[in-house]
Amino acid sequence: TADLGAGVGMLTAALVESVASRSNNRHIHCTLYENEVRLIPLLRKVMRHTQRWAKTKGVNFRYSVRKVDLLEAFRNEKHAYTTIVSNPPFLRVPADSELKKKTRKFLCTVNLYGSFMEGTLNWTAKGGHFLLITPTSWKNGSHFELLRKELLREAKLRRVVSFTRRDVVFEDVLQEVEFTKWKKKGVVQKNSKIEVGVARKISKVKPETEFSLGYSKLIPDIDKGIILTTAHERHLEMI
């Protein structure tokens, strides 16, 4: 397992809790990638707490923390994680910046989270799963077109959780945010379904509204990278 842009490790802690309650797998090893030095002591503290808690549930949780530049790592390293979670930085990439130079080899060069989405896809093993917390803007516009096509070609969208208001997800984030869960090399069949959830707060584990959509309803054209947005309830009603 990997946590890309781990912050203080809350996604990994949630993953361990989910495994402890729902899975027969009693062994987890997670590599947490975080390059902000100020966060790493708290990240390690949260992981130690998670490790102690997991032990009480009969789960052997081991972890390692890597301080690396993930943009460099995505280009130079190869991994095959069975599960990846990532809440990447939502950061516009200014033209003629050093960051722009780093993102030039990625399919999306306008926002850092697009590079993380591509890196997550590449580092997931075939048959593995990855969970992303991102803005919804990757579903629209020409800047994300190549990334959309690559994601839909290489992975199957399994689940989407959207929020009715943008101001209840993260502080100081003015974009629409959603959770998406994918399976690498998942086969899309005529009866394939996508689980859709609509939540009012990030603190509510279970969305208030849940239903299934046929794959062709949400993704009418995989080859062209066309995805309908589910950012609001009114959009869901339109679908």
Side-chain angles (χ1 to χ4, degrees):
T1 300
D3 189 339
L4 309 183
V8 298
M10 299 309 293
L11 279 180
T12 294
L15 176 64
V16 172
E17 182 180 6
S18 178
V19 168
S21 63
R22 302 181 185 183
S23 174
N24 292 325
N25 178 23
R26 313 317 286 175
H27 299 276
I28 306 170
H29 181 271
C30 185
T31 303
L32 298 104
Y33 293 81
E34 180 52 57
N35 68 348
E36 284 203 41
V37 175
R38 65 183 181 84
L39 294 179
I40 291 178
L42 184 54
L43 171 59
R44 292 187 182 278
K45 183 177 181 179
V46 172
M47 289 301 97
R48 288 194 298 270
H49 175 81
T50 302
Q51 192 173 52
R52 290 192 297 268
W53 179 88
K55 188 175 181 179
T56 67
K57 303 298 181 180
V59 175
N60 178 23
F61 170 58
R62 296 178 297 119
Y63 67 91
S64 56
V65 176
R66 290 194 62 195
K67 181 184 176 299
V68 298
D69 182 333
L70 271 170
L71 294 182
E72 294 288 340
F74 287 147
R75 291 200 300 262
N76 300 319
E77 299 181 16
K78 291 185 178 180
H79 296 284
Y81 293 109
T82 56
T83 305
I84 296 181
V85 293
S86 183
N87 177 18
F90 310 163
L91 182 64
R92 185 180 65 84
V93 179
D96 301 322
S97 65
E98 287 299 316
L99 190 57
K100 191 73 170 182
K101 294 177 183 178
K102 288 185 176 183
T103 61
R104 279 177 182 163
K105 293 185 179 181
F106 291 89
L107 296 174
C108 173
T109 64
V110 298
N111 200 297
L112 198 56
Y113 85 83
S115 302
F116 272 68
M117 292 178 77
E118 182 181 347
T120 299
L121 173 67
N122 292 337
W123 279 10
T124 303
K126 183 177 180 179
H129 293 84
F130 56 96
L131 171 77
L132 297 165
I133 303 178
T134 68
T136 61
S137 52
W138 68 275
K139 292 180 175 178
N140 304 287
S142 59
H143 291 302
F144 291 90
E145 181 178 355
L146 293 177
L147 176 62
R148 284 196 301 273
K149 290 180 178 180
E150 182 72 5
L151 277 165
L152 294 175
R153 183 165 51 245
E154 295 295 324
K156 178 183 178 182
L157 182 58
R158 301 290 300 274
R159 183 167 174 77
V160 179
V161 176
S162 300
F163 296 87
T164 55
R165 288 170 46 191
R166 66 178 70 184
D167 59 343
V168 299
V169 186
F170 297 120
E171 291 183 5
D172 302 322
V173 173
L174 299 180
Q175 301 175 69
E176 308 294 348
V177 176
E178 68 182 5
F179 295 9
T180 53
K181 180 182 177 182
W182 303 75
K183 181 178 181 180
K184 181 78 172 281
K185 294 293 184 182
V187 178
V188 179
Q189 300 174 340
K190 288 184 178 180
N191 60 347
S192 291
K193 300 284 187 181
I194 300 173
E195 298 301 316
V196 178
V198 184
R200 299 193 182 277
K201 293 182 180 180
I202 197 171
S203 59
K204 293 185 73 65
V205 176
K206 189 173 183 179
E208 293 190 6
T209 304
E210 291 188 288
F211 54 92
S212 296
L213 282 178
Y215 216 82
S216 61
K217 294 286 186 180
L218 195 62
I219 305 174
D221 195 322
I222 291 177
D223 293 334
K224 292 183 179 180
I226 297 176
I227 307 174
L228 300 182
T229 180
T230 61
H232 295 293
E233 285 179 317
R234 62 178 180 271
H235 290 145
L236 293 173
E237 289 169 1
M238 289 169 60
I239 292 171

